[in-house]
Amino acid sequence: MRYAAITGWGMAVPDRVLTNADLEALVDTSDEWIVSRTGIRERRIAGPGDSNTSLAVAASRDALAKAGRVPADIDLIITATFTPDLFLASQACMIQAELGGSAAAFDINAACAGFVYALASATSFIRSGMYRTILVVGVDTQTRFIDYTDRATCVLFGDGAGAVLLEATGEPRGELASVLGADGSGVQALYVPGWTWDDGPAGDDPTAAVLGPRPRLDTHPAMLMQGNEVFRFAVKVMCDAARQVVLKAGLSLDDVDMLIPHQANRRIIDAAARTLALPRDRVWINIDRYGNTSAASIPMALTEAVAAGKVAEGDNLVFVAFGGGLSWAASLVRWGTAGVERCRADGGAAAAPPADG
Ligand code: ACO
């Protein structure tokens, strides 16, 4: 059998820190309200030198260095983001351009669940035998889409990037099961406006006589959210998806060494952990320092959990996320790199693709 071990991990955040005290100066809020309702104390926001690309590239270099790999080793780059620097080209192509190498490259948008969707996609490419080495990046600079006069949203979000490198192995490592879900009837619960047709008469646009009215883009689109609705949805799908993915891997919740949840609200994480009966030392939480970093939050949390020595070879990790769409995703990951060196040395033959792959 062929599996997709995580051999490298990394993260990057902007230097600029936005504290709760800073937000008190912007909107009618307080440190006490933000900490008690969300668990967030500060978040990072992109400054003039930062971009989705710069953060993603820094996280990717970190992941490559930990894996002892170089960009030329990468077969495919998948980037999960809803805040690419350009509409066209893809964020993944921009990352490849900075890193070097000639990997295939494309983006996924599943909002805050995007990293787990990307991990499942990358794992499938490796398990099928199509690729051996894939860089998966979760990155969002969503503070670009925050209205800093809206206290209901502006306290929650921050910017950041996380990346993992996946490599083929013959040992059961990496993602052993995944659950992906979506409910498009919930689009209105959390979205950033796009094109509209309500611009009135076309004015003196010389193309209007032939093309008729054309849609326009809001110049400063801002995130809109029904917080309570998202909260209820989040607790339910986090618990359901975590249970499902553990069962799908043939395990039980007692076998889970670490839950690494999307960091959206401390109360959502606590409620899910309580329902799943997972003690605090088996749940990784770093929302206090970064807020909700969307697709970056799980690979950032993973990177910090590994750096803290909380993840060991053979451990079972559950990644679980929810986000705009509405979407959700969970992944059961067996940590470690067993079999990767052998696979590298023999050019991949040690991890033959499945017979039907
Ligand atoms: N400071 C002070 N008061 C506030 C603030 C604030 N920043 N925000 C809201 N309030 C007020 C409200 O106006 C309301 O006042 P009222 O009772 O006088 O009307 C009161 O606080 C309670 O508001 P609620 O919305 O009920 O507060 P709640 O406890 O639900 O917390 C929150 C709001 C934090 C947004 C919560 O609902 C939440 O975290 N929801 C999930 C959001 C989420 O995870 N979104 C990201 C999804 S991931 C992605 O794809 C990007």
Side-chain angles (χ1 to χ4, degrees), residues 176-182 236-253 256 259 276 318-321 328-332:
L176 304 185
S178 67
V179 168
L180 307 179
K236 181 175 174 358
V237 295
M238 296 255 279
C239 295
D240 290 352
R243 279 199 187 98
Q244 287 163 12
V245 85
V246 166
L247 269 180
K248 211 168 162 182
L251 300 171
S252 80
L253 285 165
V256 175
L259 177 76
L276 297 170
V318 170
F319 302 160
V320 62
W328 62 92
S331 178
L332 188 297

Side-chain angles (χ1 to χ4, degrees), residues 147-216:
D147 171 0
Y148 282 97
T149 65
D150 175 13
R151 69 177 183 174
T153 53
C154 74
V155 301
L156 298 175
F157 299 99
D159 300 328
V164 295
L165 193 74
L166 303 185
E167 291 186 64
T169 177
E171 301 295 324
R173 291 293 182 273
E175 184 176 271
L176 304 185
S178 67
V179 168
L180 307 179
D183 176 4
S185 71
V187 166
Q188 300 296 323
L190 176 64
Y191 70 102
V192 176
W195 297 96
T196 54
W197 287 89
D198 59 359
D199 203 17
D204 57 3
D205 178 354
T207 67
V210 177
L211 298 174
R214 301 188 67 200
R216 73 176 168 85

Side-chain angles (χ1 to χ4, degrees), residues 79-92:
T79 306
T81 188
F82 78 90
T83 60
D85 284 331
L86 301 174
F87 286 133
L88 172 77
S90 74
Q91 186 60 70

Side-chain angles (χ1 to χ4, degrees), residues 27-30 33-34 37-38 82 110-113 142 150-157 190 223 225-232 234 262 264-265 267-268 292 294 322-325 327:
V27 288
D28 179 14
T29 192
S30 65
W33 191 96
I34 301 171
R37 297 296 184 111
T38 73
F82 78 90
C112 299
Q142 59 193 327
D150 175 13
R151 69 177 183 174
T153 53
C154 74
V155 301
L156 298 175
F157 299 99
L190 176 64
M223 186 184 295
M225 184 178 74
Q226 293 162 18
N228 286 320
E229 195 177 313
V230 177
F231 192 103
R232 279 192 299 274
H262 172 46
N265 184 320
R267 288 187 298 137
I268 293 175
N292 178 345
S294 190
F322 64 91
S327 58

